[in-house]
């Protein structure tokens, strides 16, 4: 691959010899080509310059051929040239062990994709990429636009990003820079983007006019922008001694609560009335310590998640604590109202799990947790099968979904859930369960009580997702220094507990455990009264099993052929009526 990708090195017979690889096999026997020349005799700057013109994927592949090319392709000189080629305006490479390599890969893999739920054509589209953006860190769709936060703290405002065309597709028209120095942003926590009127931005600003100081002081602040125009309508500045890293919103418009997480792991809250934000008079608020940090001062919160009626905290030790503010959500999450106290709604409720939790997803009345071993636990209302447990029974405590593990991302909505998963060949796929109305589960309009593969082409570097009422967004980007570091499940925890996936079972005991896991599937097929229903049920089961994409296509096509042979009508993989 290296010789084909670097034509300038082919003009002369170059002998690639290095201490780890040794001389080229059969090199002494070749005649008529002149004396071989080791590539190590070339100046390193020349080799780095030539390699920097290769595509990023070819550079990574070339670095896997031998020890010499691994050192050359992994050097910061090569990645600095590649980064300048991908982002000519980038002057600061950032921080980290390999800052230029990280910066180049962030800009090579960045992208925002979307697929509409309606229209005659349903295919994946890519939005306009802001040239100035240094990778994509987060994104947030609102009623009319999309906001993107990059790794330098710049928020880009994709104006009129959702313009419908006659074919049902949407394309971003233009973008502008909303602000710099941003740490985080948030909007209305409800899943419907219609309610997202304002964009809250947590940022760092230099305070002018500081007396008796040699340098200006940096202070954190919260700025509020109108999502429709990008106009700033509100700003509150905090003391320079307080530094925050995350912000989430809770509650409705008239009693909007901002929860701010400090660098020390403490939670502060601030109540804002959005009805007064656009009025031309001063507005004052009081910043108070949240009860979870007041009553449990030893806890250090690492991250937060919220919706309009509850908040979830994950500590640095992987513990999980809840705040539930309404009795209806409390009953859906825990199955009872015995411990609910309406006068003490900020009381943190611990959730017991057998391992450390890495990240979570919080829907309206259900949630998902992912632990350090890559296991997925679901809890809450299961009226539409949004927990993916194969039934529609509510769960008052975390329940493991055994056939899924090691997700890339997890999302919980009003009555459905999505999991972004990575296959063994590093390709991505999107699985979903719950209500399938209005196309929210492409390919499964009737929904599913188990996670099934959706009819969506997932980008290779997809890292997060966010569906709206009209379309599904997927953010693409790969950060070599920040990714879920899953651990292998110890053997002591495997004994006596269900295996995490059918693929792991087959690898350990192909004749015992894997066959036992398939018994419920055979029972479902056996209970079908007609051959047509038997075929449809088998298609659904094929979508549940962790098979390769080619294997799934083969089984679905084979089942369609059998249906046509026996007088049925094939629906393609997998049938929507299933």
């Amino acid at each position: 691959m290296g010789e084909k990708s670097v034509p300038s090195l082919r003009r002369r017979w170059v002998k690639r010899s290095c201490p780890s690889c040794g001389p080229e096999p059969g090199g002494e026997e070749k005649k008529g080509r002149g004396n071989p020349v080791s590539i190590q005799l070339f100046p390193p700057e020349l080799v780095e310059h030539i390699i920097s013109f290769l595509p990023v994927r070819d550079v990574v592949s070339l670095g896997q051929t031998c020890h010499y090319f691994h050192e050359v392709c992994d050097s910061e000189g090569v990645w600095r040239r590649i980064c300048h080629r991908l982002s000519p305006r980038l002057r600061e490479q950032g921080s980290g062990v390999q800052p230029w390599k990280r910066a180049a890969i962030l800009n090579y893999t960045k992208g925002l994709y979307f697929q509409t739920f309606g229209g005659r054509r349903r295919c994946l589209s890519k939005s306009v990429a802001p040239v100035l953006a240094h990778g994509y860190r987060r994104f947030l769709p609102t009623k009319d636009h999309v906001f993107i936060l990059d790794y330098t703290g710049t928020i880009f405002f994709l104006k009129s990003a959702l313009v419908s065309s006659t074919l049902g597709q949407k394309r971003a028209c233009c973008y502008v820079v909303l602000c710099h120095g941003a740490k985080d942003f948030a909007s209305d926590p409800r899943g419907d983007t219609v309610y997202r009127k304002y964009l809250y931005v947590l940022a760092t600003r230099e305070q002018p006019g500081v007396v008796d100081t040699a340098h200006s002081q940096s202070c954190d602040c919260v700025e509020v922008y109108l999502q429709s125009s990008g106009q700033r309508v509100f700003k509150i500045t905090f003391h320079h001694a307080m530094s925050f890293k995350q912000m989430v919103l809770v509650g409705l418009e008239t009693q909007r609560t901002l929860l701010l997480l400090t660098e020390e792991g403490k939670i502060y809250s601030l109540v804002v009335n959005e009805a007064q934000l656009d009025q031309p008079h001063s507005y004052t608020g009081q910043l108070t310590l949240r009860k979870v940090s007041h009553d449990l001062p030893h806890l250090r919160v690492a991250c937060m998640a919220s919706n309009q009626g509850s908040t979830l905290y994950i500590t640095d030790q992987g513990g999980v604590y809840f705040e539930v503010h309404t009795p209806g959500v409390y009953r859906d999450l825990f199955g009872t109202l015995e411990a609910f106290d309406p006068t003490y709604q900020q009381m943190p409720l611990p959730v017991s799990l057998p391992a450390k939790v890495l990240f979570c997803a919080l829907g309206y009345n259900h949630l998902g947790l992912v632990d350090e071993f890559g296991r997925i636990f679901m809890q809450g209302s299961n009226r539409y099968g949004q927990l993916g447990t194969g039934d529609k029974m509510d769960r008052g405590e975390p329940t493991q979904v055994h056939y899924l593990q090691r997700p890339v991302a997890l999302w919980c909505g009003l009555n459905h859930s999505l999991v972004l998963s990575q296959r063994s060949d590093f390709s991505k796929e999107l699985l979903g369960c719950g209500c399938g109305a209005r196309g929210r589960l492409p390919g499964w309009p009737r929904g599913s009580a188990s996670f099934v593969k959706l009819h969506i082409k997932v980008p290779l570097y997809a890292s997060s997702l966010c569906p709206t009422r009209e379309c599904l967004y997927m953010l693409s980007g790969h950060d070599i220094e920040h990714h879920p570091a899953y651990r292998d499940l110890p053997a002591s925890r495997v004994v006596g507990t269900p295996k995490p996936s059918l693929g792991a079972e087959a690898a350990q005991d192909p004749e015992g455990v894997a066959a036992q896991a398939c018994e419920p599937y055979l029972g479902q097929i056996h209970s079908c009264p007609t051959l047509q229903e038997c075929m449809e049920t088998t298609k659904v089961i094929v979508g549940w099993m962790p098979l390769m994409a080619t294997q799934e296509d083969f089984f679905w096509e084979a089942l369609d052929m059998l249906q046509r042979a026996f007088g049925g009508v094939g629906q393609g993989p997998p049938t929507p009526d299933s």
Side-chain angles (χ1 to χ4, degrees):
M1 177 180 175
E3 294 182 0
K4 294 181 180 180
S5 302
V6 191
S8 58
L9 295 181
R10 296 184 60 195
R11 297 177 181 176
R12 185 174 185 181
W13 179 31
V14 178
K15 176 182 175 184
R16 190 195 66 193
S17 61
C18 63
S20 61
C21 301
E24 183 180 359
E28 298 178 356
E29 300 178 0
K30 296 181 179 180
K31 298 180 180 181
R33 285 183 163 181
N35 296 326
V37 179
S38 173
I39 197 172
Q40 292 178 323
L41 299 179
F42 286 87
E45 295 80 5
L46 176 61
V47 179
E48 292 180 358
H49 180 75
I50 296 174
I51 293 178
S52 65
F53 286 95
L54 297 177
V56 174
R57 298 184 65 176
D58 289 350
V59 174
V60 176
S61 300
L62 182 63
Q64 299 174 354
T65 57
C66 70
H67 178 69
Y68 173 77
F69 277 124
H70 174 73
E71 291 184 346
V72 174
C73 295
D74 203 46
S75 65
E76 284 293 275
V78 171
W79 291 105
R80 183 180 67 252
R81 293 182 173 91
I82 294 176
C83 191
H84 287 165
R85 175 166 55 86
L86 295 175
S87 302
R89 303 184 182 184
L90 183 64
R91 292 294 176 262
E92 297 180 2
Q93 73 275 21
S95 60
V97 180
Q98 293 181 300
W100 284 114
K101 181 177 182 180
R102 181 192 180 202
I105 294 179
L106 283 175
N107 287 278
Y108 174 74
T109 59
K110 69 181 180 182
L112 180 63
Y113 300 83
F114 50 86
Q115 177 171 324
T116 57
F117 295 144
R120 290 180 293 176
R121 294 183 59 188
R122 300 179 184 179
C123 59
L124 195 68
S125 302
K126 187 175 182 180
S127 68
V128 171
V131 180
L132 301 178
H134 177 40
Y136 291 167
R137 179 182 167 191
R138 278 194 60 201
F139 78 104
L140 179 66
T142 59
K143 179 181 179 182
D144 305 309
H145 313 295
V146 176
F147 296 87
I148 296 179
L149 173 65
D150 73 351
Y151 281 83
T152 61
T154 303
I155 296 181
F156 293 88
F157 178 21
L158 273 65
K159 301 184 65 175
S160 302
L162 303 182
V163 179
S164 300
S165 67
T166 57
L167 296 179
Q169 297 300 305
K170 298 172 180 289
R171 301 193 180 279
C173 294
C174 62
Y175 64 88
V176 295
V177 175
L178 183 69
C179 64
H180 298 278
K183 293 183 176 182
D184 197 10
F185 56 21
S187 188
D188 192 291
R190 285 171 285 190
D192 195 342
T193 57
V194 174
Y195 300 106
R196 297 174 184 175
K197 179 180 178 182
Y198 296 100
L199 180 73
Y200 293 75
V201 177
L202 175 64
T204 300
R205 298 285 181 260
E206 296 290 336
Q207 284 298 103
V210 180
V211 185
D212 298 332
T213 56
H215 303 284
S216 59
Q217 292 181 337
S218 298
C219 298
D220 285 356
C221 65
V222 172
E223 299 174 341
V224 183
Y225 296 84
L226 283 172
Q227 72 86 26
S228 58
S229 62
Q231 177 186 359
R232 194 181 74 182
V233 296
F234 177 76
K235 179 181 179 180
I236 181 171
T237 303
F238 307 107
H239 192 270
H240 63 84
M242 303 189 69
S243 178
F244 302 99
K245 64 178 183 179
Q246 187 188 1
M247 173 183 60
V248 297
L249 305 183
V250 186
L252 302 178
E253 292 84 351
T254 57
Q255 286 292 322
R256 184 78 73 202
T257 301
L258 280 69
L259 299 182
L260 300 163
L261 174 61
T262 67
E263 298 288 348
E264 295 77 21
K266 301 298 180 182
I267 305 292
Y268 287 85
S269 63
L270 175 67
V271 179
V272 175
N273 186 357
E274 290 187 353
Q276 302 178 3
L277 291 182
D278 53 358
Q279 297 180 5
H281 61 76
S282 61
Y283 183 89
T284 58
Q286 183 179 3
L287 190 68
T288 59
L289 188 65
R290 199 69 171 178
K291 189 170 289 293
V292 64
S293 297
H294 182 271
D295 294 354
L296 304 173
H298 62 283
L299 293 180
R300 288 177 56 92
V301 178
C303 61
M304 306 179 293
S306 69
N307 60 25
Q308 63 267 36
S310 59
T311 310
L312 187 145
Y313 306 108
I314 298 180
T315 67
D316 58 347
Q317 299 298 321
V320 179
Y321 290 83
F322 266 133
E323 280 185 15
V324 184
H325 308 145
T326 60
V329 175
Y330 189 97
R331 183 177 57 251
D332 290 336
L333 289 175
F334 298 99
T336 180
L337 287 175
E338 294 181 1
F340 180 75
D341 187 356
T343 63
Y344 206 50
Q345 297 180 2
Q346 294 186 17
M347 178 64 184
L349 305 173
V351 178
S352 178
L353 282 175
K356 178 180 178 180
V357 174
L358 297 184
F359 61 94
C360 66
L362 186 58
Y364 174 70
N365 53 11
H366 75 288
L367 61 100
L369 304 170
V370 181
D371 70 0
E372 58 184 331
F373 302 111
R375 298 177 296 182
I376 300 177
F377 296 85
M378 306 294 289
Q379 177 179 344
S381 174
N382 200 22
R383 179 180 180 183
Y384 297 91
Q386 61 262 44
L387 300 185
T389 55
D391 52 47
K392 295 185 179 181
M393 298 175 56
D394 296 345
R395 300 295 196 278
E397 58 185 15
T399 302
Q400 183 180 353
V401 182
H402 295 289
Y403 56 91
L404 289 181
Q405 60 178 345
R406 304 201 172 200
V408 178
L410 175 65
W411 184 89
C412 295
L414 180 63
N415 47 33
H416 73 293
S417 305
L418 300 176
V419 169
L420 182 61
S421 178
Q422 180 171 279
R423 293 177 173 269
S424 57
D425 59 354
F426 300 103
S427 62
K428 303 288 179 60
E429 64 179 1
L430 190 62
L431 308 175
C433 65
C435 180
R438 296 182 179 179
R440 64 190 67 182
L441 296 180
W444 305 86
R446 296 186 179 181
S448 173
S450 300
F451 282 97
V452 292
K453 182 180 178 181
L454 305 183
H455 292 184
I456 292 180
K457 183 180 179 180
V458 182
L460 180 62
Y461 305 105
S463 58
S464 62
L465 63 152
C466 180
T468 64
R469 179 184 296 181
E470 298 179 340
C471 63
L472 170 67
Y473 292 93
M474 286 181 286
L475 188 73
S476 175
H478 179 69
D479 190 351
I480 61 176
E481 296 184 358
H482 297 88
H483 53 83
Y486 293 123
R487 298 170 51 198
D488 293 330
L489 191 66
S492 59
R493 299 196 182 188
V494 177
V495 177
T497 59
K499 298 295 186 294
S501 69
L502 184 60
E505 295 167 0
Q508 297 177 8
D509 189 5
E511 296 182 359
V513 181
Q516 183 179 1
C518 293
E519 289 181 0
Y521 298 153
L522 295 175
Q524 295 181 31
I525 298 175
H526 182 72
S527 62
C528 295
T530 63
L531 179 62
Q532 182 70 17
E533 294 184 10
C534 181
M535 295 290 186
E536 300 296 342
T537 303
T538 305
K539 286 185 179 181
V540 176
I541 293 175
V542 169
W544 292 345
M545 301 179 72
L547 303 174
M548 299 290 292
T550 54
Q551 295 172 334
E552 290 181 354
D553 295 340
F554 167 76
F555 283 118
W556 282 328
E557 184 64 26
L559 290 171
D560 283 342
M561 293 174 61
L562 291 175
Q563 282 182 310
R564 290 191 293 268
F566 286 96
V569 180
Q571 298 294 333
T575 174
D577 294 338
S578 61

